[in-house]
Amino acid sequence: EYQEEGFVKSESEFDADNNLISKSMFKYENSKVTENLYDGEGNLLARTISTVNIDNLPIEVYQYYGDGSLLYHKVYTYLDNNKISSIEDYNENDQLFTKSVFRYDASNFLTEVQIYNSKNILAQRKIFKNDAKGNATRISIYSISDKFGTTVNELQSITEYAYKN
């Protein structure tokens, strides 16, 4: 269901027998978006409160359990071209848990995501190889660790993608 402005007003999920499983209701106030997620009985399961920029991209997101306790908090920063520069993830105690830093090539295709731990130490790298359209064709994930008196990149996984023309 959509509002007149084109924003989502609500989303409902039904089972095979057309019984309501869940419903999300959205409220928009200037740069603040609130989503309330209810189960099929009408009980509040979660609330997400987002602050968005002029381009309607999230700047800050808080998600709460139905009882009002914090689940997580995220802070987004962007480059001038609206590509994500970084995402800071905060835990249920609102303490910085991880920070992801995004890197792009000259064509503005994502090439790397560096993930830092709560002590601002590089913990993981995701390296992206892209086709001419910017589609990821290979994602290599490396863990970063200190071994033998130096920092090493240990390959964790490689995922390859193929696209039909």
Side-chain angles (χ1 to χ4, degrees):
E1 185 177 13
Y2 292 91
Q3 297 180 353
E4 289 180 19
E5 301 84 10
F7 293 115
V8 176
K9 181 177 182 181
S10 67
E11 294 177 342
S12 300
E13 182 180 357
F14 298 90
D15 65 16
D17 296 323
N18 209 29
N19 296 311
L20 181 65
I21 297 173
S22 65
K23 184 169 188 165
S24 289
M25 311 262 316
F26 297 85
K27 181 179 178 184
Y28 302 87
E29 302 170 284
N30 300 317
S31 62
K32 183 171 126 180
V33 179
T34 303
E35 176 188 1
N36 292 311
L37 174 64
Y38 300 93
D39 66 15
E41 308 289 313
N43 300 306
L44 180 65
L45 298 175
R47 175 173 290 163
T48 304
I49 301 172
S50 304
T51 304
V52 297
N53 66 16
I54 195 165
D55 295 312
N56 214 29
L57 297 171
I59 298 171
E60 200 161 25
V61 177
Y62 288 87
Q63 185 166 39
Y64 300 91
Y65 291 105
D67 66 5
S69 60
L70 183 65
L71 174 60
Y72 70 80
H73 168 207
K74 292 181 180 267
V75 177
Y76 296 79
T77 58
Y78 296 90
L79 302 171
D80 290 340
N81 60 3
N82 280 339
K83 296 276 190 180
I84 294 176
S85 174
S86 68
I87 302 173
E88 294 176 346
D89 294 292
Y90 295 83
N91 63 20
E92 65 278 355
N93 298 318
D94 212 20
Q95 297 169 328
L96 183 64
F97 182 71
T98 61
K99 180 178 181 177
S100 301
V101 177
F102 296 75
R103 307 266 185 237
Y104 303 89
D105 63 16
S107 299
N108 283 318
F109 298 152
L110 181 63
T111 58
E112 183 176 2
V113 178
Q114 298 174 341
I115 301 171
Y116 295 83
N117 64 21
S118 61
K119 296 177 182 173
N120 202 30
I121 297 171
L122 183 61
Q124 186 180 70
R125 295 174 69 207
K126 296 179 182 182
I127 309 294
F128 295 77
K129 299 291 181 193
N130 302 300
D131 64 16
K133 294 179 181 178
N135 298 310
T137 57
R138 175 185 268 193
I139 302 173
S140 303
I141 300 176
Y142 297 88
S143 65
I144 312 301
S145 56
D146 289 325
K147 288 186 177 179
F148 314 112
T150 187
T151 302
V152 295
N153 292 291
E154 296 179 309
L155 182 63
Q156 291 181 311
S157 68
I158 296 176
T159 306
E160 293 188 343
Y161 300 92
Y163 302 91
K164 292 183 180 182
N165 291 333

